[in-house]
Amino acid sequence: MRNKTLLGLMLVIGLSCREAGKQQNVATQVDTAAKLAAVKKSAVSCESGIPSRFAAAATSSGQMDAAARAAHPGMVWIAGGTFNMGADNDQASADEYPKHAVTVAGFWMDKTEVTNKQFAAFVASTGYVTTAERKPDWNELKKQLPPGTPKPEESLLVPASLVFAPPDHPVDLNDYSQWWEWKKGANWRHPHGAGSSIAGMDNYPVVHVSYYDAAAYCVWAHKRLPTEAEWEFAARGGMKDSVYPWGNERPGTGSGMVHGNFWEGHFPDKNKKIKKSYYSEPVGSYAPNGYGLVDMAGNVWEWCADWYRADYYKSLAGKTTVAPKGPATSLDPDEPFAKKRVIRGGSFLCNESYCTGYRVSRRMKSSEDSGLEHVGFRCVE
């Protein structure tokens, strides 16, 4: 029990808001630093309206002309439309109900998750230091915890992040301490902790990035994080009410085709994947969805701009909502003191027996400065 309690606290340390994580350490580019300050003050990330000039460049079929595509390298134009957002099968959680109608305007979306190479260019340009590379601030951390929570030992309040540590035997799936480890020195440069490296992994998704880290990158790249509605619309790839980005065939059944980087086997102790990597894989390793987007299911979870509220969909029932930006406040009944944002898409740990995060309607949440080995992001414009 002590180990589970300690890991629970470490999850909060890794997943809760601390002031040091908000202080975006940018060494150069004064203009970028000013924009980052605005992000910190508003706590709304780099969200902005869709530039109208993009809409003017679209043809009647929703396709973009060559000049518009050239101006958005590595991105895909999503024409927008109306769809039914929310649960599609019996695996859905309560926060995926009720299903409701949503309309989104057209937008550009990165074809892939942001890679180590792309994030390294951002860091080289700005001098940015990620949340996981900073020491947690206990005075800010305790604001996210129940009153009276004791301060952890100083040896735990060090730059660190949560890494996947698979056990060698079956475990209780309600005890996440059996497969997560708070590891000193783990960050985007060292995904498995001190001594590990991303050498030769330029084309892998960057991980151990907090919401603040993703928002800062967006500002630098003149992009923003997608809203939850935009993300789900894009993940569906033009299909109506399908469970997955590829249709309705459950992973591991039917044709036997592998649609993404998921956990194959008994979670979390036995992975039967044919490929050698049990962690993230290079972006674009699997077929794209109907919009040409890759890894919208599996590989790593992706940050969205929206606050997370378990009851948010109830406020949208019985009507068509245009361009929703999410709730005004965050509320996770399991951790009511922590402010959380939505993450979507599942990861290399998702499987039929545990989280099925690769379903297009599956909602997950994480505190704004969380940095884990299976969380990354992609941008939109």
Side-chain angles (χ1 to χ4, degrees), residues 95-117:
D95 64 356
E96 298 173 49
Y97 292 98
K99 202 169 181 68
H100 53 283
V102 167
T103 299
V104 296
F107 58 98
W108 291 93
M109 179 174 249
D110 287 344
K111 180 177 180 179
T112 73
E113 292 148 343
V114 172
T115 65
N116 286 322
K117 182 178 181 179

Side-chain angles (χ1 to χ4, degrees), residues 240-268:
K240 182 179 180 180
D241 298 333
S242 291
V243 178
Y244 312 103
W246 59 85
N248 290 318
E249 181 182 279
R250 286 195 176 188
T253 64
S255 68
M257 181 177 179
V258 179
H259 297 283
N261 181 14
F262 318 133
W263 186 273
E264 299 173 23
H266 189 272
F267 182 81

Side-chain angles (χ1 to χ4, degrees), residues 24-363:
Q24 310 301 350
N25 182 12
V26 179
T28 60
Q29 296 194 356
V30 175
D31 182 58
T32 299
K35 292 179 180 177
L36 289 177
V39 170
K40 291 181 292 181
K41 183 176 180 180
S42 65
V44 185
S45 180
C46 40
E47 202 165 321
S48 60
I50 306 297
S52 59
R53 61 189 176 90
F54 297 152
T59 66
S60 59
S61 64
Q63 299 297 314
M64 302 302 291
D65 62 29
R69 292 195 302 271
H72 297 82
M75 303 189 83
V76 174
W77 173 250
I78 311 298
T82 299
F83 73 110
N84 295 318
M85 185 174 182
D88 287 303
N89 74 347
D90 58 5
Q91 293 177 309
S93 298
D95 64 356
E96 298 173 49
Y97 292 98
K99 202 169 181 68
H100 53 283
V102 167
T103 299
V104 296
F107 58 98
W108 291 93
M109 179 174 249
D110 287 344
K111 180 177 180 179
T112 73
E113 292 148 343
V114 172
T115 65
N116 286 322
K117 182 178 181 179
Q118 292 169 319
F119 198 79
F122 157 61
V123 170
S125 175
T126 64
Y128 185 84
V129 178
T130 63
T131 304
E133 295 173 283
R134 304 189 188 97
K135 178 182 177 179
D137 183 338
W138 172 244
N139 289 327
E140 290 299 320
L141 173 64
K142 64 184 180 182
K143 296 176 183 179
Q144 301 291 322
L145 299 168
T149 299
K151 181 180 179 179
E153 296 177 6
E154 285 296 327
S155 62
L156 297 175
L157 294 174
V158 296
S161 192
L162 287 158
V163 301
F164 175 59
D168 60 4
H169 58 279
V171 297
D172 180 0
L173 294 183
N174 292 313
D175 183 3
Y176 46 76
S177 69
Q178 297 296 311
W179 62 88
W180 283 112
E181 179 181 353
W182 176 249
K183 184 166 284 190
K184 180 180 179 180
N187 54 58
W188 75 276
R189 302 176 194 269
H190 308 289
H192 306 304
S196 64
S197 170
I198 55 172
M201 300 175 65
D202 281 356
N203 203 37
Y204 282 66
V206 65
V207 294
H208 292 294
V209 285
S210 70
Y211 172 86
Y212 297 120
D213 301 334
Y217 176 93
C218 286
V219 171
W220 174 78
H222 304 290
K223 298 179 181 180
R224 61 183 176 88
L225 291 173
T227 65
E228 185 176 18
E230 288 172 333
W231 195 98
E232 184 170 323
F233 182 84
R236 291 181 177 275
M239 291 186 290
K240 182 179 180 180
D241 298 333
S242 291
V243 178
Y244 312 103
W246 59 85
N248 290 318
E249 181 182 279
R250 286 195 176 188
T253 64
S255 68
M257 181 177 179
V258 179
H259 297 283
N261 181 14
F262 318 133
W263 186 273
E264 299 173 23
H266 189 272
F267 182 81
D269 56 303
K270 291 183 180 179
N271 196 329
K272 299 179 179 179
K273 289 179 64 175
I274 296 176
K275 293 188 176 183
K276 294 181 180 179
S277 173
Y278 290 172
Y279 300 92
S280 64
E281 294 180 357
V283 297
S285 294
Y286 301 88
N289 74 356
Y291 288 146
L293 302 167
V294 295
D295 301 320
M296 295 299 283
N299 217 18
V300 296
W301 289 95
E302 301 177 12
W303 285 107
C304 292
D306 302 33
W307 290 112
Y308 172 82
R309 280 192 69 97
D311 59 356
Y312 174 54
Y313 284 8
K314 294 179 181 179
S315 68
L316 306 179
K319 60 183 178 181
T320 299
T321 305
V322 178
K325 302 296 185 183
T329 58
S330 165
L331 179 61
D332 177 4
D334 295 329
E335 293 181 300
F337 293 95
K339 296 179 180 179
K340 298 188 177 184
R341 300 277 178 170
V342 173
I343 56 175
R344 286 297 205 109
S347 77
F348 57 83
L349 297 181
C350 289
N351 60 91
E352 287 293 292
S353 66
Y354 188 54
C355 76
T356 63
Y358 35 68
R359 293 182 297 104
V360 292
S361 65
R362 180 64 159 128
R363 308 180 73 207

